[in-house]
């Protein structure tokens, strides 16, 4: 690998920054908080075959527990307790730790369930900040707990989420499946049908696909899963020379945000991943071909004008694209995806140009003068580091399940 040494040097920089600065992050969640930073340290330890960095990871998780014990209550998957709990589960699952998560986490269940109930009753299903995020955490607990009573508890929680999705689903007036309305713009209050992975229906599809893999839930979620896929499919953009194949969102009457970026958060990659996961559990070859078509179309988008890529972070930057394409290459062995992953890794290295950034990186916040150095998994160098490790390591990992990529 031509740039392996450069990538390893970048990992050293990132490791030092995260060790020194993690306490400045006042959030806990896997994507925006310190538990995601701990995740980097465990994987970096595995890559270097040393306990040194894992010890830092343990210190960070102890800090997370102490904050909860001292009254920290913010619940969300992205930023709060549910996301931190997901990290504890993942580390146990991957044999990084031997913790009693049933004892450590189960006392938080009632609180998180109450927040999930409230959000879904308000029609707020957002993966990062609302209902689906809590259900995604409970799915992890359902899979991992060895306690029969807790297993039944999480089965009931997940069944409750399926019921909420049934109750809040709208049948499309044109017969194109099922859709869920949400707020599209916080400032204007615009409402409609978000197709994205970060906040929209692609996350519902992947969540339902994961439930569909479990025999207990298969029958109840199948109509919701196929209905959601049908609705998103109905908004494919037709024509030649297209930037993107799907809009970011749809409003009524039929107005679409027609050009979408190439990124994890919004656009074709989230839709393609959702279709890919659904096709595998539904054993639907036609949908599988559709997913690969979308994802290969994305692999051929490379210019700044075509992709909207302005920074390096996982959320809407080059390393997020690299992680998605690297995952797809591992699952399909298609060299198109390997080439795309390599392209976006190289692109990301070239973006480390900010002398006052974190390891040279800053996140673009929407304006030319608005850039900020960040350390989190979703928007900062922890996610960049995890993506680099996945790209150059020879071991299999699934940390990107926290992003619904795997």
């Amino acid at each position: 690998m031509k740039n392996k040494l450069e990538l390893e040097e970048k990992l050293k920089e990132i490791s030092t920054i995260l060790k020194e600065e993690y306490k400045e992050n006042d959030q806990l969640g896997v994507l925006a908080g310190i538990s995601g930073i701990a995740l980097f340290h465990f994987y970096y330890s595995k890559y270097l075959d040393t306990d040194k960095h894992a010890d830092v990871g343990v210190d960070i998780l102890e800090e997370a527990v102490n904050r909860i014990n001292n009254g920290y209550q913010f619940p969300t998957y992205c930023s709060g307790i549910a996301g931190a709990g997901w990290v504890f589960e993942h580390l146990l699952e991957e044999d990084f730790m031997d913790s009693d998560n049933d004892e450590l986490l189960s006392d938080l269940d009632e609180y998180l369930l109450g927040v999930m109930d409230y959000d879904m009753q308000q029609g707020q299903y957002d993966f990062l900040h609302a209902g689906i995020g809590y259900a995604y955490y409970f799915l992890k607990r359902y899979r991992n707990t060895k306690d029969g009573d807790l297993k039944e508890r999480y089965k009931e929680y997940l069944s409750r989420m399926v019921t909420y999705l049934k109750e809040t689903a709208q049948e499309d007036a044109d017969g194109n499946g099922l859709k869920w309305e949400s707020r599209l713009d916080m400032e204007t209050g615009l409402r409609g049908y978000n197709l994205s992975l970060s906040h929209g229906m692609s996350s519902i599809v992947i969540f339902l696909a994961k439930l569909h893999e479990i025999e207990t839930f298969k029958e109840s979620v199948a109509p919701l899963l196929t209905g959601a896929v049908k609705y998103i499919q109905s908004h494919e953009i037709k024509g030649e020379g297209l930037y993107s194949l799907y809009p970011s969102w749809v409003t009524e009457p039929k107005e679409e945000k027609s050009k979408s970026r190439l990124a994890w958060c919004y656009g074709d990659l989230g839709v393609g991943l959702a279709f890919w996961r659904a096709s595998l559990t539904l054993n639907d070859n036609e949908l599988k071909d559709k997913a690969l078509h979308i994802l290969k179309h994305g692999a051929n988008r490379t210019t700044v004008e075509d992709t909207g890529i302005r920074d390096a972070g996982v959320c809407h930057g080059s390393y997020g694209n690299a992680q998605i394409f690297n995952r797809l290459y591992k699952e399909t062995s298609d060299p198109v995806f390997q080439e795309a992953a390599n392209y976006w890794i190289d692109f990301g290295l070239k973006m480390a140009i900010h002398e006052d950034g974190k390891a040279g990186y800053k996140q673009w916040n929407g304006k030319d003068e608005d850039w900020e150095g960040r350390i989190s998994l979703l928007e900062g160098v922890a996610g960049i580091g995890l993506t680099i490790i996945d790209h150059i390591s020879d071991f299999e990992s699934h940390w990107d399940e926290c992003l619904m990529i795997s």
Side-chain angles (χ1 to χ4, degrees), residues 255-322:
E255 296 179 6
E256 299 179 344
K257 188 178 181 183
S258 57
K259 182 179 177 181
S260 58
R261 61 170 45 142
L262 188 78
W264 171 81
C265 54
Y266 278 90
D268 289 356
L269 295 186
V271 172
L273 281 171
F275 288 0
W276 176 247
R277 295 288 163 230
S279 73
L280 296 179
T281 188
L282 293 170
N283 195 25
D284 185 332
N285 289 329
E286 184 176 348
L287 182 59
K288 182 178 181 180
D289 290 342
K290 173 66 72 176
L292 292 174
H293 169 70
I294 297 166
L295 294 163
K296 287 183 179 181
H297 177 84
N300 289 321
R301 294 170 62 186
T302 56
T303 67
V304 172
E305 295 75 20
D306 191 10
T307 61
I309 296 297
R310 297 289 299 272
D311 61 22
V314 167
C315 181
H316 49 255
S318 57
Y319 283 99
N321 291 351

